[in-house]
């Protein structure tokens, strides 16, 4: 009897201690890995989110940039991290395209991570070099189709949002263009501004300043409807029916992260998204807050699953593989 009581006491003590540990989370800084360079669009959103979530959690969240290989290096690092809630991943649409883009991938998006929630969806813009003569999106598409051998399309590297948008654009136009990959958004934009490349499709977080400053020719947005920041730009879907792409962002934890920690992170994420400062920053960037049902673990996983199914045939058709 004494032995049974001792075992019961030990078990109760373990439960209390474990529950207390979850309640105290976080007890140290949380690392949020952004698998891209500092200063890029995903990094900007991540830092704003980390600040707002840190306030909610009464702790600190530190953004760590681990770039390379279209975001797969940083994602792989988090996949191998302990599932203790202290190493998270903030990734964009590239999480859904990696399985088809990379022949050798050391993680499985749907198996090695637990989505905490989707945060924002960033629309994209179709922009051209300053000297592009076409007056509107319809004329631009006609010109590109007629001169496909001469037109080149810039992107920020394999797996980048601009690369993916370019693939979808060529697929929708049924026209193959010469693509020019750069080592990041900055070099690609510099080449476009200098007229060394013709076109680029990139996020509003990258292009807003250049468009508003009149430094590039802007033709359309990739959202379903017009954007408040650019009411003069029509949705490209008006010329290419069904064309719609946004760069959604999800916060992930490694698999085996305790359910209590996931729940606490999810609640903090939802509260952070409602923060006035965060909302204002996203509005300024042209980023759209995700619907509430996507701000959950289940909703984010459903989004990731559907996007993997959407992108795989497009990438396979274009044979746009990376080693």
């Amino acid at each position: 009897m004494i032995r049974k009581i001792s075992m019961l006491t030990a078990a109760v003590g373990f439960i209390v201690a474990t529950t207390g540990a979850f309640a105290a989370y976080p007890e140290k800084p949380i690392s949020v890995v952004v698998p891209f360079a500092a200063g890029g669009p995903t990094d900007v959103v991540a830092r704003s989110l980390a600040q707002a979530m840190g306030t909610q959690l009464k702790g600190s969240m530190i953004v760590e940039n681990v770039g390379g290989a279209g975001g797969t290096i940083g994602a792989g690092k988090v996949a191998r991290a302990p599932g203790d809630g202290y190493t998270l991943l903030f990734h964009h649409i590239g999480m859904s395209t990696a399985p088809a883009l990379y022949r050798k991938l050391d993680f499985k998006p749907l198996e090695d991570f637990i989505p905490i929630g989707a945060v924002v969806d960033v629309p994209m813009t179709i922009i051209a070099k300053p000297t592009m003569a076409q007056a509107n999106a319809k004329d631009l598409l006609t010109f590109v189709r007629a001169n496909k051998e001469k037109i080149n399309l810039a992107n920020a590297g394999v797996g980048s949002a601009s690369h993916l948008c370019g693939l979808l654009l060529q697929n929708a136009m049924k026209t193959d263009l010469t693509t020019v990959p750069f080592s990041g958004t900055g070099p690609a934009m510099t080449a476009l501004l200098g007229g060394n490349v013709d076109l680029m499709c990139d996020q509003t977080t990258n292009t807003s300043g250049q468009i508003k400053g009149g430094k590039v020719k802007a033709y359309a947005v990739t959202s379903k409807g017009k954007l408040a920041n650019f009411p003069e730009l029509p949705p490209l879907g008006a010329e290419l029916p069904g064309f719609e792409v946004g760069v959604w962002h999800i916060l992930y934890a490694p698999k085996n992260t305790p359910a209590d920690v996931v729940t606490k992170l999810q609640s903090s994420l939802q509260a952070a998204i409602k923060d006035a400062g965060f909302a204002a920053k996203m509005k300024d960037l042209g980023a759209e807050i995700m619907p509430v049902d996507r701000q959950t673990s289940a909703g984010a996983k459903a989004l990731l699953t559907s996007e993997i199914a959407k992108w795989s045939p497009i990438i396979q058709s274009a044979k746009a593989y990376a080693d």
Side-chain angles (χ1 to χ4, degrees), residues 51-77:
Q51 182 176 1
M53 279 190 70
T55 299
Q56 296 298 326
L57 289 166
K58 295 181 174 55
S60 61
M61 300 185 81
I62 301 171
V63 172
E64 178 186 0
N65 298 96
V66 183
T72 61
I73 294 176
K77 177 178 179 177

Side-chain angles (χ1 to χ4, degrees), residues 83-249:
D84 56 9
Y86 290 101
T87 304
L88 307 177
L89 172 69
F90 190 73
H91 205 337
H92 66 28
I93 190 174
M95 193 70 150
S96 65
T97 60
L101 272 174
Y102 295 90
R103 293 187 176 92
K104 298 177 181 178
L105 197 63
D106 63 353
F107 62 87
K108 296 180 180 179
L110 290 172
E111 297 177 23
D112 294 332
F113 301 90
I114 300 174
I116 301 301
V119 182
V120 293
D121 191 15
V122 182
M124 306 188 80
T125 50
I126 306 297
I127 57 177
K129 61 185 180 183
T131 56
M132 187 66 75
Q134 283 58 49
N136 52 51
K138 181 178 181 179
D139 290 347
L140 177 69
L141 294 177
T142 298
F143 176 75
V144 169
R145 286 188 177 109
N147 297 273
K148 60 183 181 180
E149 296 84 1
K150 302 176 183 178
I151 299 295
N152 51 50
L153 180 64
N155 67 57
V158 174
S160 66
S162 51
H163 172 229
L164 301 174
C165 184
L167 287 178
L168 193 62
L169 177 63
Q170 293 174 82
N171 182 272
M173 292 178 64
K174 296 180 173 56
T175 303
D176 292 330
L177 303 175
T178 299
T179 58
V180 184
F182 288 85
S183 59
T185 297
M189 182 63 77
T190 297
L192 189 72
L193 293 172
N196 298 314
V197 291
D198 302 305
L199 298 173
M200 185 162 69
C201 174
D202 209 352
Q203 302 172 72
T204 55
T205 42
N206 283 333
T207 64
S208 292
Q210 307 295 353
I211 293 173
K212 291 176 180 178
K215 297 179 180 180
V216 296
K217 288 286 289 285
Y219 286 92
V221 293
T222 66
S223 52
K224 190 172 184 178
K226 288 189 175 183
L227 299 179
N229 283 18
F230 303 107
E232 73 282 6
L233 298 181
L236 191 61
E239 299 299 333
L240 294 174
F243 189 96
E244 182 182 353
V245 61
V247 184
W248 45 265
H249 295 71

Side-chain angles (χ1 to χ4, degrees), residues 3-16:
R3 184 171 181 272
K4 289 183 178 180
I5 292 174
S6 298
M7 291 175 66
L8 178 61
T9 302
V12 170
F14 175 77
I15 292 171
V16 170

